[in-house]
mmCIF file of all heavy atoms in Angstrom:
data_model
loop_
_atom_site.group_PDB
_atom_site.id
_atom_site.type_symbol
_atom_site.label_atom_id
_atom_site.label_comp_id
_atom_site.label_asym_id
_atom_site.label_seq_id
_atom_site.Cartn_x
_atom_site.Cartn_y
_atom_site.Cartn_z
ATOM 1 N N GLU A 171 29.683 -11.363 -26.017
ATOM 2 C CA GLU A 171 29.822 -10.589 -27.243
ATOM 3 C C GLU A 171 30.036 -11.596 -28.399
ATOM 4 O O GLU A 171 29.477 -11.407 -29.471
ATOM 5 C CB GLU A 171 31.040 -9.641 -27.176
ATOM 6 C CG GLU A 171 31.081 -8.667 -26.031
ATOM 7 C CD GLU A 171 30.191 -7.456 -26.275
ATOM 8 O OE1 GLU A 171 29.565 -7.385 -27.346
ATOM 9 O OE2 GLU A 171 30.133 -6.595 -25.348
ATOM 10 N N LYS A 172 30.877 -12.589 -28.147
ATOM 11 C CA LYS A 172 31.111 -13.581 -29.221
ATOM 12 C C LYS A 172 29.854 -14.392 -29.508
ATOM 13 O O LYS A 172 29.560 -14.720 -30.666
ATOM 14 C CB LYS A 172 32.286 -14.497 -28.796
ATOM 15 C CG LYS A 172 33.636 -13.794 -28.784
ATOM 16 C CD LYS A 172 34.764 -14.769 -28.652
ATOM 17 C CE LYS A 172 34.936 -15.281 -27.238
ATOM 18 N NZ LYS A 172 36.066 -16.166 -27.060
ATOM 19 N N VAL A 173 29.104 -14.784 -28.444
ATOM 20 C CA VAL A 173 27.915 -15.575 -28.639
ATOM 21 C C VAL A 173 26.914 -14.765 -29.467
ATOM 22 O O VAL A 173 26.295 -15.294 -30.399
ATOM 23 C CB VAL A 173 27.273 -15.962 -27.246
ATOM 24 C CG1 VAL A 173 25.913 -16.649 -27.462
ATOM 25 C CG2 VAL A 173 28.217 -16.899 -26.481
ATOM 26 N N SER A 174 26.756 -13.455 -29.187
ATOM 27 C CA SER A 174 25.873 -12.606 -29.947
ATOM 28 C C SER A 174 26.278 -12.580 -31.399
ATOM 29 O O SER A 174 25.462 -12.633 -32.288
ATOM 30 C CB SER A 174 26.010 -11.135 -29.416
ATOM 31 O OG SER A 174 25.050 -10.910 -28.437
ATOM 32 N N ALA A 175 27.584 -12.494 -31.630
ATOM 33 C CA ALA A 175 28.056 -12.484 -33.050
ATOM 34 C C ALA A 175 27.723 -13.829 -33.709
ATOM 35 O O ALA A 175 27.468 -13.886 -34.902
ATOM 36 C CB ALA A 175 29.556 -12.172 -33.063
ATOM 37 N N GLY A 176 27.810 -14.903 -32.921
ATOM 38 C CA GLY A 176 27.446 -16.207 -33.457
ATOM 39 C C GLY A 176 25.970 -16.265 -33.880
ATOM 40 O O GLY A 176 25.648 -16.818 -34.942
ATOM 41 N N TYR A 177 25.097 -15.697 -33.068
ATOM 42 C CA TYR A 177 23.704 -15.656 -33.468
ATOM 43 C C TYR A 177 23.522 -14.814 -34.709
ATOM 44 O O TYR A 177 22.729 -15.195 -35.618
ATOM 45 C CB TYR A 177 22.829 -15.111 -32.332
ATOM 46 C CG TYR A 177 22.438 -16.125 -31.279
ATOM 47 C CD1 TYR A 177 22.738 -15.973 -29.942
ATOM 48 C CD2 TYR A 177 21.729 -17.266 -31.652
ATOM 49 C CE1 TYR A 177 22.366 -16.889 -29.001
ATOM 50 C CE2 TYR A 177 21.399 -18.226 -30.719
ATOM 51 C CZ TYR A 177 21.697 -18.023 -29.376
ATOM 52 O OH TYR A 177 21.326 -18.994 -28.443
ATOM 53 N N ALA A 178 24.207 -13.722 -34.789
ATOM 54 C CA ALA A 178 24.099 -12.868 -35.987
ATOM 55 C C ALA A 178 24.571 -13.645 -37.241
ATOM 56 O O ALA A 178 23.977 -13.570 -38.314
ATOM 57 C CB ALA A 178 24.916 -11.599 -35.794
ATOM 58 N N ARG A 179 25.626 -14.447 -37.073
ATOM 59 C CA ARG A 179 26.125 -15.197 -38.213
ATOM 60 C C ARG A 179 25.109 -16.235 -38.648
ATOM 61 O O ARG A 179 24.855 -16.454 -39.869
ATOM 62 C CB ARG A 179 27.425 -15.920 -37.827
ATOM 63 C CG ARG A 179 28.073 -16.722 -38.939
ATOM 64 C CD ARG A 179 29.441 -17.178 -38.575
ATOM 65 N NE ARG A 179 29.919 -18.153 -39.596
ATOM 66 C CZ ARG A 179 31.027 -18.833 -39.456
ATOM 67 N NH1 ARG A 179 31.868 -18.634 -38.444
ATOM 68 N NH2 ARG A 179 31.409 -19.691 -40.418
ATOM 69 N N ARG A 180 24.483 -16.966 -37.658
ATOM 70 C CA ARG A 180 23.430 -17.924 -38.014
ATOM 71 C C ARG A 180 22.267 -17.233 -38.716
ATOM 72 O O ARG A 180 21.704 -17.758 -39.677
ATOM 73 C CB ARG A 180 22.966 -18.661 -36.756
ATOM 74 C CG ARG A 180 23.869 -19.763 -36.283
ATOM 75 C CD ARG A 180 23.859 -20.953 -37.246
ATOM 76 N NE ARG A 180 22.755 -21.884 -36.993
ATOM 77 C CZ ARG A 180 22.612 -23.024 -37.627
ATOM 78 N NH1 ARG A 180 23.502 -23.403 -38.539
ATOM 79 N NH2 ARG A 180 21.597 -23.830 -37.355
ATOM 80 N N HIS A 181 21.915 -16.077 -38.199
ATOM 81 C CA HIS A 181 20.833 -15.299 -38.826
ATOM 82 C C HIS A 181 21.189 -15.036 -40.280
ATOM 83 O O HIS A 181 20.372 -15.224 -41.194
ATOM 84 C CB HIS A 181 20.604 -13.980 -38.031
ATOM 85 C CG HIS A 181 19.771 -12.961 -38.757
ATOM 86 N ND1 HIS A 181 20.319 -12.087 -39.675
ATOM 87 C CD2 HIS A 181 18.452 -12.732 -38.733
ATOM 88 C CE1 HIS A 181 19.328 -11.328 -40.179
ATOM 89 N NE2 HIS A 181 18.181 -11.724 -39.590
ATOM 90 N N ASP A 182 22.394 -14.575 -40.532
ATOM 91 C CA ASP A 182 22.825 -14.194 -41.888
ATOM 92 C C ASP A 182 22.863 -15.385 -42.777
ATOM 93 O O ASP A 182 22.732 -15.255 -44.015
ATOM 94 C CB ASP A 182 24.144 -13.447 -41.835
ATOM 95 C CG ASP A 182 24.047 -12.130 -41.169
ATOM 96 O OD1 ASP A 182 22.901 -11.644 -40.923
ATOM 97 O OD2 ASP A 182 25.093 -11.515 -40.815
#
Side-chain angles (χ1 to χ4, degrees):
E171 303 280 0
K172 290 191 284 182
V173 173
S174 269
Y177 277 124
R179 180 170 171 187
R180 280 290 276 186
H181 167 274
D182 293 347

